[in-house]
Amino acid sequence: MTTIIELINFYDHSSKEYDRFLQNLICSNGDVPFSIEEVDEAQSIIISTVNNYLNRSQTRYNGLLILDKILSHCSKDILLKYCMLWMSKATQILESIHSAPQELSISCKVLGQLIIQTKNISDIQKQISMQNVKQLVNAIGNLNPEKNSGPIYYLLAVLLHQYPEVCERFQISIRKIILLQIDSTQENLVKTSAKCYALLAQATERSFKPPVSKPSYTGWLYHQALICNNLHTIMDVLFSNLIELENVSIWDKLDLPNISEENIIQFFFKQKQRFLNLCSYLAYMLQGFDKKNSVFPHEILKILCRGLAIQPSNLKNRNSIREQMLYLILPQLHIALFNVLDALIDGFKEQLIPFGSTILQLFLQTLQWTEIVSDNHITISGNKPFRNVRISVYKCLTSWLVNTNSLSGVETVANECLPSILKDIVPEKDRVLLTIQKTNNLSKRALKRLRDSQYEKGTYLNNNGIASSKEYYLDVDVCKEALITLQNIFFNSGTLLKQTFFRTVQNIIIPLLYDCYLSSNEQKFYKDSSKCRLLLLRVLRALQMNPHSLVPLPTQYSLEIFQMALIDSNVCITQEAKVALAELEKIVHPHAPSIQLTQVETIQEQFVVSDQHMEQTEVLEDVLSLDAENITDDTLPSSNKKLKIINSDVDETVESVINVTDVPNTEPINQS
């Protein structure tokens, strides 16, 4: 029988096939059992091969590739013996100016894994903290900025997370490395550097001293405030000369390089990119670490209110290059701000309920202005105008509903939001183009020729004689998010919504589904989009399961629609229909109470006592206990009759929702 050792020795140990075999052996044979002695010998050969490769610069990269595969299987004894050797060889690649990007990538990955796996080994931990952290920070800082990549910031994040006390001494160098990506257009680099920024803020918390003017600030809050101040500065630069913005005191901010104004177009694009990246930094901080987080909500809301208040209508007639550029980048700024709001909601959830009225107004005002588009305006891509902004609003509103449930307060703006939502889920009727031309002094033959040209050969009519354009149809992505939001409105605030909201939605959703399953020509949108059709059915299900007390249930319509959905071509829709019909069956034919439920009710009636008769019951039990010896076993009550259930009234307190103006601006929200 062939053993692992024979297979290993079958290859030439200096060939590429041998390297590939070792990697496949490590990765692909975890389920195949071998004897302990054979596995130990194979691991010894692999580690010996890795060390031989690492000791030669020509094969060091291949050695790191194999080491990356086997590192997670190494025992504590192996790490104690070889860890420092492996770290030194990987660091040499990081320090070399001739290293290729793929070599830097695998070097950082191996270094990061070694640091994480040896954190609990005291001997190695001490040596890394005293020597290697400083060496690695210097090596990263000396790299050409063009070589900075995701793995570089991964290694920096590992150092900040595993050795924060040591990294705190090098915070100036680390901050400089992080902020190199503040104007980057590479999304992955921005995200990884944003994580490093948050980790640096956490690592420097211990030595932070608040400014004299802000004594209540912690290091975490201070780093958030710096980002907010930079965002305010960018808004001042972009919009202060065109519209009236609320004045904000900039007391401190991040030290970032100036953006040249020589090329006005490049200037606006770079300001936009910096704004987006700063929003990413702020959003990541708002998500928090280790389930601990804090924020001054009024500072974040001031950023959001100030930025989202700027609308295309504020840019006047867009006659100048400046106004045209701002009009072009404005949607992206709004999307970035909604990403910040989404992170704030996800990080603090129900603690933001006192600010709910302000947050809901941000959703409402954006939905309203993004739907005001002239019929003679279209986008270059052919999509619905402001589609990405509306998608961001719907996603953020859904997050608010899910995280705050019935306390979301959405019922206060639901009727105002509904027209905007319906506009994204109800297909518009195809438009018929009619033209009138003078027919005076035309012969019968000429008049017939005119009719033929108008109704058969007109270029403005399609094959069905109906003029249609892509702009008049729904956008699939916007429709999906709008339907998800509508569904969550019912599930999270159904009992608080107004009667008119229920009636309006019911009168829209049911005809749409009937048209979808019964009509052959009109309303093809939901026939073509199975995902939107599924979500439309889920809205009907949410409407059925969260009824209004004054609105009759659409049970008969729901039964017919879900019966038709059982033969839908989409498997997910048929499964949804089965569940919905099972729910409707319980509504139409409710089951009788179970035997167990009846028994519990009888027991409660016989043995439940109120608080005011407790003392009498105790006295009665004492008297009965005196005669217990005289009672035979046949006369003892059964075990279920001895059960006592005591109901005590519990006072429930309901906190009222406080407007944003009523909340003190000096207390941060702490999440732990």
Side-chain angles (χ1 to χ4, degrees):
M1 180 177 179
T2 305
T3 63
I4 302 179
I5 308 305
E6 291 176 349
L7 289 173
I8 291 175
N9 293 329
F10 175 78
Y11 289 92
D12 179 6
H13 287 200
S14 61
S15 65
K16 293 182 179 180
E17 289 78 11
Y18 176 65
D19 296 345
R20 286 194 292 269
F21 171 74
L22 289 184
Q23 294 182 42
N24 291 329
L25 179 66
I26 297 166
C27 299
S28 306
N29 292 281
D31 292 337
V32 181
F34 298 98
S35 66
I36 296 176
E37 295 80 6
E38 195 174 2
V39 171
D40 289 341
E41 187 176 357
Q43 286 182 344
S44 178
I45 293 175
I46 293 172
I47 290 174
S48 177
T49 302
V50 168
N51 291 338
N52 289 333
Y53 281 0
L54 292 178
N55 286 326
R56 299 194 301 272
S57 59
Q58 298 86 353
T59 58
R60 191 165 294 154
Y61 174 70
N62 294 333
L64 290 175
L65 287 175
I66 301 173
L67 180 59
D68 175 49
K69 303 296 183 184
I70 200 175
L71 198 53
S72 59
H73 308 296
C74 291
S75 64
K76 181 178 178 181
D77 293 335
I78 293 176
L79 290 173
L80 277 168
K81 188 174 182 180
Y82 297 111
C83 175
M84 301 316 299
L85 170 66
W86 293 341
M87 287 195 69
S88 64
K89 298 302 180 182
T91 305
Q92 288 179 17
I93 290 182
L94 197 62
E95 293 175 331
S96 174
I97 61 175
H98 302 292
S99 297
Q102 66 269 20
E103 294 175 330
L104 290 173
S105 177
I106 192 63
S107 173
C108 291
K109 187 177 180 181
V110 169
L111 285 167
Q113 290 186 63
L114 285 169
I115 292 170
I116 293 172
Q117 289 186 222
T118 59
K119 185 61 167 61
N120 296 324
I121 303 176
S122 57
D123 294 339
I124 300 178
Q125 178 187 356
K126 183 177 180 181
Q127 192 166 353
I128 291 176
S129 63
M130 294 177 62
Q131 299 178 5
N132 296 86
V133 173
K134 180 180 179 180
Q135 183 182 9
L136 291 173
V137 170
N138 290 334
I140 295 173
N142 292 331
L143 282 174
N144 189 325
E146 295 179 356
K147 290 188 175 182
N148 285 346
S149 59
I152 297 292
Y153 287 97
Y154 160 75
L155 176 58
L156 189 60
V158 170
L159 291 172
L160 286 165
H161 188 261
Q162 300 294 336
Y163 294 92
E165 298 86 0
V166 185
C167 291
E168 187 179 17
R169 299 199 296 265
F170 311 107
Q171 57 181 287
I172 296 176
S173 300
I174 294 175
R175 184 176 291 105
K176 181 179 178 182
I177 297 169
I178 293 172
L179 295 181
L180 287 173
Q181 304 305 323
I182 202 65
D183 295 321
S184 175
T185 57
Q186 300 182 51
E187 187 176 354
N188 65 320
L189 288 182
V190 175
K191 288 183 177 180
T192 52
S193 63
K195 296 177 183 178
C196 291
Y197 181 87
L199 286 167
L200 179 63
Q202 191 178 48
T204 57
E205 186 72 51
R206 185 181 58 174
S207 63
F208 173 76
K209 294 181 180 180
V212 177
S213 60
K214 306 289 182 180
S216 61
Y217 275 62
T218 62
W220 187 259
L221 295 172
Y222 175 75
H223 282 84
Q224 291 179 11
L226 292 180
I227 299 176
C228 290
N229 288 341
N230 280 88
L231 289 171
H232 281 302
T233 301
I234 294 177
M235 284 191 283
D236 289 338
V237 171
L238 295 179
F239 300 103
S240 60
N241 295 332
L242 296 175
I243 60 177
E244 185 177 349
L245 291 175
E246 180 185 359
N247 292 328
V248 175
S249 175
I250 309 297
W251 49 273
D252 199 1
K253 60 181 180 178
L254 293 171
D255 185 16
L256 302 177
N258 293 326
I259 298 177
S260 173
E261 297 188 39
E262 292 183 4
N263 187 323
I264 190 64
I265 295 179
Q266 289 298 321
F267 170 77
F268 280 105
F269 278 127
K270 288 183 177 179
Q271 289 284 8
K272 177 212 64 173
Q273 191 61 52
R274 179 173 292 185
F275 188 92
L276 302 185
N277 294 350
L278 285 169
C279 285
S280 296
Y281 277 50
L282 182 57
Y284 200 83
M285 286 199 73
L286 293 174
Q287 293 173 359
F289 281 108
D290 301 327
K291 297 182 180 179
K292 294 181 179 179
N293 201 2
S294 58
V295 69
F296 277 120
H298 70 280
E299 291 191 352
I300 309 301
L301 289 175
K302 182 173 285 188
I303 283 285
L304 298 173
C305 293
R306 202 165 182 247
L308 295 176
I310 304 169
Q311 303 175 11
S313 59
N314 300 129
L315 303 178
K316 301 177 182 178
N317 297 323
R318 301 188 298 276
N319 294 326
S320 65
I321 294 294
R322 181 185 182 89
E323 291 174 344
Q324 288 284 358
M325 288 300 303
L326 291 176
Y327 181 73
L328 187 63
I329 67 175
L330 186 59
Q332 293 171 284
L333 305 186
H334 279 257
I335 293 170
L337 290 172
F338 275 111
N339 290 338
V340 171
L341 179 55
D342 188 56
L344 178 67
I345 294 170
D346 187 59
F348 296 93
K349 300 178 174 61
E350 69 278 355
Q351 297 184 64
L352 295 173
I353 289 173
F355 307 93
S357 60
T358 300
I359 293 173
L360 290 169
Q361 285 300 318
L362 294 177
F363 297 139
L364 177 60
Q365 73 180 25
T366 307
L367 284 176
Q368 288 178 341
W369 74 254
T370 51
E371 73 177 38
I372 303 174
V373 180
S374 177
D375 289 342
N376 60 349
H377 284 71
I378 61 172
T379 61
I380 295 176
S381 60
N383 294 323
K384 296 274 284 188
F386 304 115
R387 68 180 294 274
N388 293 317
V389 179
R390 294 181 73 84
I391 288 174
S392 297
V393 176
Y394 286 132
K395 286 183 176 180
C396 199
L397 177 53
T398 299
S399 178
W400 172 255
L401 292 168
V402 170
N403 283 292
T404 58
N405 301 309
S406 60
L407 297 177
S408 65
V410 71
E411 66 278 358
T412 61
V413 297
N415 280 22
E416 297 174 84
C417 289
L418 187 57
S420 298
I421 297 175
L422 293 179
K423 190 169 184 179
D424 289 325
I425 67 176
V426 179
E428 296 185 29
K429 297 291 184 180
D430 292 328
R431 302 184 180 185
V432 178
L433 182 62
L434 300 177
T435 59
I436 298 177
Q437 295 185 11
K438 293 182 178 181
T439 58
N440 298 337
N441 303 323
L442 289 179
S443 64
K444 291 183 178 180
R445 182 176 296 179
L447 186 60
K448 184 178 183 300
R449 196 182 303 118
L450 176 61
R451 291 198 193 99
D452 291 341
S453 65
Q454 285 183 332
Y455 295 102
E456 295 179 7
K457 303 177 183 179
T459 58
Y460 46 80
L461 298 179
N462 59 13
N463 294 334
N464 297 323
I466 298 174
S468 62
S469 176
K470 186 176 181 180
E471 64 185 284
Y472 300 134
Y473 288 89
L474 299 183
D475 182 274
V476 174
D477 295 328
V478 179
C479 181
K480 286 192 296 185
E481 296 301 330
L483 288 169
I484 292 171
T485 300
L486 188 57
Q487 175 188 349
N488 279 283
I489 288 175
F490 282 112
F491 275 120
N492 294 287
S493 295
T495 58
L496 302 174
L497 294 169
K498 295 180 181 179
Q499 182 179 354
T500 54
F501 189 92
F502 278 84
R503 291 190 181 278
T504 303
V505 174
Q506 182 174 314
N507 293 337
I508 292 293
I509 297 299
I510 292 175
L512 280 177
L513 286 167
Y514 271 119
D515 286 344
C516 179
Y517 285 109
L518 297 178
S519 176
S520 58
N521 295 323
E522 296 184 355
Q523 310 297 7
K524 295 183 179 180
F525 174 80
Y526 285 102
K527 292 182 180 180
D528 296 337
S529 176
S530 60
K531 292 182 179 179
C532 292
R533 191 163 67 252
L534 172 62
L535 291 171
L536 194 64
L537 287 166
R538 286 179 177 173
V539 171
L540 177 60
R541 183 180 168 193
L543 185 65
Q544 181 75 42
M545 301 307 296
N546 299 273
H548 192 279
S549 58
L550 300 178
V551 179
L553 279 173
T555 306
Q556 183 61 39
Y557 301 115
S558 299
L559 283 169
E560 293 179 359
I561 290 170
F562 284 114
Q563 284 287 351
M564 291 186 289
L566 284 175
I567 58 173
D568 197 286
S569 59
N570 186 277
V571 177
C572 295
I573 292 177
T574 57
Q575 292 297 320
E576 186 77 16
K578 290 177 182 178
V579 175
L581 287 172
E583 292 174 344
L584 289 169
E585 174 65 22
K586 303 303 182 293
I587 296 174
V588 177
H589 301 105
H591 287 277
S594 66
I595 297 176
Q596 292 293 331
L597 180 60
T598 307
Q599 184 177 7
V600 171
E601 290 176 349
T602 304
I603 293 171
Q604 287 178 340
E605 291 176 359
Q606 294 179 0
F607 291 93
V608 173
V609 293
S610 61
D611 292 338
Q612 61 184 354
H613 298 300
M614 278 296 297
E615 295 181 0
Q616 298 177 7
T617 304
E618 292 175 359
V619 173
L620 180 60
E621 288 178 350
D622 293 338
V623 173
L624 292 175
S625 64
L626 295 176
D627 298 331
E629 297 179 357
N630 299 326
I631 300 176
T632 63
D633 292 340
D634 295 335
T635 60
L636 287 174
S638 61
S639 59
N640 64 340
K641 291 184 180 180
K642 293 180 180 179
L643 178 63
K644 290 185 179 181
I645 303 175
I646 299 174
N647 291 336
S648 59
D649 296 333
V650 179
D651 293 332
E652 296 183 357
T653 58
V654 180
E655 296 182 0
S656 60
V657 178
I658 305 173
N659 292 329
V660 65
T661 55
D662 298 330
V663 178
N665 292 336
T666 58
E667 295 296 331
I669 291 180
N670 295 308
Q671 176 93 6
S672 60

